[in-house]
Each structure stands twice: as C-alpha cells, then as structure tokens.
C-alpha cells in the first residue's frame, strides 16, 4: 500500500448513515458498521491479533467518519464468531451470553446481563461507547487463519430463515474479518481521488461471500497501514463485491476494479466484483479506485 504524496481532503459524509432507530424494516439491509479493535477501541494493524482474547467488537463511526455516520440502529443485538464461510460456529457459549445494546448515538452502550455469562467489556476512548470481548471461541478451521464476527438485531435472529448461518441471516447482519497470529495479508482497499487529491472520510460498502455486509471509510492512519484507503481486512477466498455511491463532494466519474476494468455506473452508484485468492498464495491487496468529479 503505497503512500500517496498529495493533499488530503477530509470530508464529513452522512449519505450512508440514517439516524439511529429500531430494527430495519422488513426486506431492508441493516445500516451502520462494525469493526474489531482492542479493548480500548484502538484498531489493530491489518486486523491481525496476538491472541483470541485480544479481539473486541466495536461499533459506530470509524476513524475519519462523521460522528453521525455508520452508527448501528438503536436496539439489542447478538453476535457470533464463525469461520469465514459461516458454516462452523466457533463461539462456544449460549447466544444469550452474546447480547449487547446500542444506544441512540449508534455506539455500543453495554452488554446485556445474562446471569454472569455476559462478555467482558472495555471502553472506546474515541466515541465513548463500550467494546465487547469476543472470547470465548474456538480456533478457526480456515487454512488462511480467518475468523468472521457477525452482528444481527435480536429481532432478526431467525433459525428458520433460508441461508441463515446459525440463525444469523446474512442480509440483516454486519460482519468483519480478523486473524490471530497469522501474518498473511489479504485485503480489499478502496481509494477516492478528486483532481489528483486523495480523499478521506468517504464510504465504501463491502458484501462478503455469504451476502453479509459492512461499511468502511477511507482514512489516513499509518499505524494500521491505511494510506487514504477504506480497508476491508482478511477478506476470505471467493467472490466479494464493493459498492461505492455518489457522496457530497464526490460524484462518480470512474470506478476501476482490481483487474483494471471500468465498472458500470448505474444512477449514482457502481458495484465491483472482487475475486480473492486462497490466502496461502501469499500477501495481496485488491484495489478499487474511485475518481470523483
């Protein structure tokens, strides 16, 4: 990921951030974003952790996002840890032990009391919300060392829904990938440019191989090797999609995928398919570049 030697335009973007509310209407995707951090809310370089106990769930706006951006709708949520396919449940405790509350600001308020089995929490020094420890969970069977954390509203937890992953329905779930003690770097990075200037604070939406999704914002954060990029780390083998939309200060001019092909812009958005190779083939960064007009 090369540093781009140009000025930085940090733009507050609220386009993809509806006000915090209750569960999404029937048929709609879950708004907002999640990500993994350490217990104090600090992102970990490339989402690669030293120990399973070090991984905490975080929610709300990411770095360089406006305070009202990407907050989860207010309400109660469940979480789980699986392998990247979602087929193998790695979380080892009961679902009621994995419940937390999001407040009206779109950040995690606290875990829900569950008779002593609720998860440990930390505090995010940036947004004032809580972080939730994901442990206990088993080792991933994935040969690339990838884990996937899922979050879904309690009212969307549905064990009879077609395609559910241990009762988490991909359409209504947010996901983030991470690794533990596995150094291979495989990621999708989305960059935004206008007049040759790299832009921070712009949103890209990732849909994973299961149909679950998440939002990240382009940022300048050398501590996690983010050089004006929206980072989707530890993306698993298979076909993913990245959707970018017109945002204040960035009407879509051109969207180029990792293969160098121009994506078709429909209305004010474009979607790029990204096929990720087996992690054991080595480090690889898949880039999606957006030119704004």
């Amino acid at each position: 990921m090369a540093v781009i030697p140009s000025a930085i335009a940090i733009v507050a973007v609220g386009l993809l951030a509806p006000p915090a509310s209750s569960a999404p209407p029937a048929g709609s995707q879950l708004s907002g974003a999640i990500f993994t951090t350490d217990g104090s809310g600090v992102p970990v370089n490339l989402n690669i952790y030293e120990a399973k106990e070090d991984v905490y769930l975080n929610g709300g706006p990411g770095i360089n996002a406006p305070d009202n951006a990407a907050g989860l709708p207010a309400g109660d949520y469940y979480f789980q840890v699986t392998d990247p396919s979602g087929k193998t449940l790695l979380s080892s405790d009961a679902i009621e032990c994995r419940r937390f509350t999001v407040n009206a600001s779109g950040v995690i308020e606290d875990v829900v009391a569950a008779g002593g089995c609720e998860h440990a929490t930390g505090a995010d020094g940036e947004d004032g919300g809580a972080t939730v420890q994901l442990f206990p969970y088993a080792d991933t069977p994935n040969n690339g060392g990838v884990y996937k954390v899922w979050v879904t509203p309690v009212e969307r937890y549905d064990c009879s829904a077609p395609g559910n992953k241990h009762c988490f329905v991909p359409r209504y779930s947010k996901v983030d990938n991470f690794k533990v003690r596995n150094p291979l770097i495989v990621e999708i990075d989305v960059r935004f440019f206008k007049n040759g200037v790299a832009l921070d604070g712009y949103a890209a939406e990732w849909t994973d191989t299961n149909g679950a999704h998440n939002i990240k914002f382009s940022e300048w954060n050398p501590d996690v090797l983010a050089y004006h990029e929206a980072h989707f780390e530890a993306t698993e083998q298979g076909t993913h999609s990245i959707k970018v939309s017109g945002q204040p200060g960035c009407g879509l001019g051109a969207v180029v995928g990792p293969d160098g092909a121009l994506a078709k812009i429909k209305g004010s958005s474009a979607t790029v398919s990204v096929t990720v190779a087996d992690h054991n083939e080595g480090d690889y960064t898949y880039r999606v570049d957006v030119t704004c007009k």
Side-chain angles (χ1 to χ4, degrees), residues 213-290:
H213 53 101
N214 204 6
I215 296 172
K216 297 289 180 73
F217 289 82
S218 57
E219 60 175 325
W220 172 263
N221 186 1
D223 287 343
V224 295
L225 303 185
Y227 302 112
H228 310 304
E229 299 149 334
H231 267 302
F232 298 98
E233 306 285 13
T235 45
E236 69 269 14
Q237 180 179 359
T239 301
H240 305 251
S241 68
I242 297 293
K243 181 180 180 181
V244 292
S245 300
Q247 300 167 51
C250 179
L252 297 186
V255 180
V256 181
D259 59 359
L262 283 170
K264 185 175 182 180
I265 298 173
K266 298 180 180 179
S268 61
S269 65
T271 300
V272 177
S273 291
V274 180
T275 300
V276 175
D278 189 314
H279 284 215
N280 288 326
E281 293 185 13
D283 297 350
Y284 201 87
T285 296
Y286 299 84
R287 294 194 186 281
V288 176
D289 285 338
V290 181

Side-chain angles (χ1 to χ4, degrees), residues 50-252:
E50 288 297 320
K52 291 191 294 184
E53 293 85 350
D54 295 341
V55 191
Y56 282 69
L57 176 67
N58 209 326
I63 295 171
N64 279 336
D67 287 343
N68 67 338
L72 291 169
D76 280 6
Y77 293 80
Y78 291 132
F79 69 90
Q80 66 176 357
V81 178
T82 71
D83 73 324
S85 72
K87 293 179 180 178
T88 303
L89 177 64
L90 303 177
S91 292
S92 55
D93 51 359
I95 188 65
E96 287 300 331
C97 304
R98 294 180 266 121
R99 182 169 177 164
F100 64 91
T101 299
V102 169
N103 64 25
S105 298
V107 300
I108 298 174
E109 183 174 273
D110 203 353
V111 294
V112 174
C117 71
E118 59 273 9
H119 284 229
T121 59
D124 187 320
E126 182 187 7
D127 62 25
T131 59
V132 181
Q133 188 181 45
L134 298 183
F135 194 79
Y137 54 94
D139 291 345
T140 180
N142 177 258
N143 64 1
V146 180
Y147 297 81
K148 188 181 293 288
V149 58
W150 303 64
V151 164
T152 198
V154 167
E155 51 268 61
R156 294 298 192 203
Y157 185 79
D158 186 352
C159 299
S160 63
N164 77 82
K165 306 293 185 178
H166 309 284
C167 308
F168 284 64
V169 181
R171 179 177 181 85
Y172 303 127
S173 299
K174 290 292 180 182
V175 291
D176 197 23
N177 288 7
F178 62 94
K179 293 187 172 188
V180 178
R181 297 184 302 276
N182 186 304
L184 291 174
I185 300 167
V186 180
E187 60 189 353
I188 302 172
D189 287 347
V190 186
R191 304 183 294 185
F192 296 82
F193 299 95
K194 189 171 186 178
N195 299 324
V197 177
L199 305 180
D200 291 337
Y202 279 86
E205 182 173 351
W206 163 54
T207 300
D208 74 355
T209 58
N210 304 295
H213 53 101
N214 204 6
I215 296 172
K216 297 289 180 73
F217 289 82
S218 57
E219 60 175 325
W220 172 263
N221 186 1
D223 287 343
V224 295
L225 303 185
Y227 302 112
H228 310 304
E229 299 149 334
H231 267 302
F232 298 98
E233 306 285 13
T235 45
E236 69 269 14
Q237 180 179 359
T239 301
H240 305 251
S241 68
I242 297 293
K243 181 180 180 181
V244 292
S245 300
Q247 300 167 51
C250 179
L252 297 186

